[in-house]
Amino acid sequence: MKNNEWQEFFDIYAKEYETEVFTKNTLNEVDFIIRELKLNPPLKILDAGCGIGRHSIELAKRGFQVTGIDISLSMLKEAERNAGKAGVSIELIRTDARTFKKELEYDAAICLCEGAFSLHGSSDDPLMSDLVILKNIHSSLKPKAFFLLNALNAMRHIRHYGNADVESGAFNPLTLSERSRMKYKLPSGEIDITGYERGYVLTELNLLMNIAGFNVLNVWGGTAGSWNKQMIDLDEIELMVLAEKADINEKRKIFFPD
Ligand SMILES: C[S@@+](CC[C@H](N)C(=O)[O-])C[C@H]1O[C@@H](n2cnc3c(N)ncnc32)[C@H](O)[C@@H]1O
């Protein structure tokens, strides 16, 4: 079963993933997650788009019960191998974050470094597919649970792309998606896909979170490798949103920075 072009990409890229510079700060990132989500073991955590399991495994090492979901079997195989090496057990499920939900199962959720969110395929609905992910994560969380999300920063796209890119289809101003052809040879195979990456502005993220049933508690710049509750840099690759599952009858709050 092929979910979209990203599954194809990560199935081939899995063996190379750990060589990426942005994966080298996992310990600090997990310190950050535990601190900002106020987590104490043995809470149950959902890692949506867990990839090779770098956050899941470190969280499991610290006593949490983690479920990692991912569309790519090769990424999950790497995660399983890494968990074995680390001597921890995590639940790994091959599934699409757009269909997976387990009602009221988890105490917290993370969706980091474009883990599912922001990546879409040529036949996916670019406006709805990420909202479905947020709704599924929301259903899977217990009331008042925290959720940490990374999304691609569309302000960077807007500053980077020009009208010629709109004309060529490299950037779609309606969906704030960039389209890129990725073609290279790797020891594990040849990649030749066209991938779509959806950027977000914070006003939209704030509203999407609300529609899905979350209250946004804070927003920061949040590119992998440099999480520090820092102010957003307009040219930064990723944004970070900390949110809380709102009570059913609670009026949703829109986040306004101080
Ligand atoms: C850039 S990696 C991030 C992995 C991990 N969160 C990290 O921080 O290293 C993105 C991962 O999301 C997975 N992914 C993409 N779309 C997905 C979807 N719709 N559902 C589940 N996983 C998805 C990919 O297969 C890939 O493993």
Side-chain angles (χ1 to χ4, degrees):
M1 177 182 63
K2 176 173 154 280
N3 291 59
N4 61 32
E5 291 83 357
W6 287 110
Q7 182 200 335
E8 212 176 315
F9 175 86
F10 283 105
D11 274 346
I12 298 172
Y13 196 59
K15 289 251 178 267
E16 318 293 324
Y17 187 76
E18 222 162 3
T19 63
E20 290 281 6
V21 182
F22 65 78
T23 64
K24 303 298 178 200
N25 205 23
T26 305
L27 295 187
N28 289 337
E29 290 176 357
V30 171
D31 288 344
F32 182 94
I33 293 167
I34 290 174
R35 200 171 51 243
E36 295 309 322
L37 275 65
K38 301 179 177 54
L39 301 176
N40 286 305
L43 293 182
K44 284 180 111 172
I45 302 172
L46 174 65
D47 185 357
C50 65
I52 61 169
R54 59 193 189 93
H55 300 116
S56 293
I57 291 166
E58 187 54 35
L59 285 164
K61 277 163 98 173
R62 299 187 197 194
F64 295 98
Q65 302 170 65
V66 190
T67 299
I69 62 166
D70 205 286
I71 42 168
S72 162
L73 190 58
S74 306
M75 291 295 267
L76 289 173
K77 278 187 180 156
E78 290 299 305
E80 197 173 14
R81 203 171 56 85
N82 291 339
K85 273 203 280 184
V88 292
S89 152
I90 51 178
E91 183 184 30
L92 293 168
I93 305 174
R94 181 174 177 263
T95 183
D96 191 322
R98 291 168 295 187
T99 52
F100 176 87
K101 65 176 167 186
K102 255 189 177 179
E103 297 288 336
L104 302 173
E105 179 79 9
Y106 299 101
D107 300 290
I110 54 177
C111 184
L112 300 172
C113 193
E114 290 86 79
F117 199 84
S118 289
L119 304 177
H120 66 91
S122 52
S123 54
D124 296 330
D125 177 340
L127 293 181
M128 293 310 291
S129 81
D130 283 341
L131 177 59
V132 174
I133 293 177
L134 295 184
K135 285 184 171 173
N136 284 342
I137 291 176
H138 178 270
S139 301
S140 302
L141 286 173
K142 295 176 185 165
K144 306 305 276 181
F146 290 126
F147 172 38
L148 192 65
L149 171 80
N150 276 147
L152 287 170
N153 176 14
M155 293 178 287
R156 174 173 173 264
H157 296 164
I158 293 163
R159 283 157 70 83
H160 169 78
Y161 287 114
N163 287 332
D165 300 304
V166 174
E167 216 164 282
S168 73
F171 180 64
N172 182 333
L174 182 64
T175 60
L176 300 179
S177 302
E178 48 179 353
R179 184 190 72 189
S180 27
R181 170 112 187 257
M182 283 162 277
K183 181 173 165 59
Y184 30 82
K185 278 198 177 109
L186 298 171
S188 44
E190 195 170 337
I191 292 182
D192 185 1
I193 68 145
T194 298
Y196 294 81
E197 295 179 86
R198 173 84 161 80
Y200 286 90
V201 288
L202 281 167
T203 42
E204 185 188 11
L205 272 181
N206 224 334
L207 288 171
L208 281 184
M209 282 291 198
N210 263 229
I211 292 167
F214 290 101
N215 284 325
V216 172
L217 303 178
N218 227 320
V219 293
W220 300 295
T223 300
S226 70
W227 298 352
N228 199 23
K229 296 173 75 169
Q230 69 268 35
M231 233 180 93
I232 291 150
D233 177 325
L234 296 182
D235 292 313
E236 189 161 5
I237 297 171
E238 290 172 306
L239 305 170
M240 175 174 274
V241 176
L242 174 65
E244 182 186 48
K245 175 167 178 164
D247 274 339
I248 293 175
N249 298 319
E250 187 185 344
K251 192 169 177 298
R252 306 279 188 282
K253 297 180 220 98
I254 287 279
F255 172 75
F256 291 105
D258 298 332

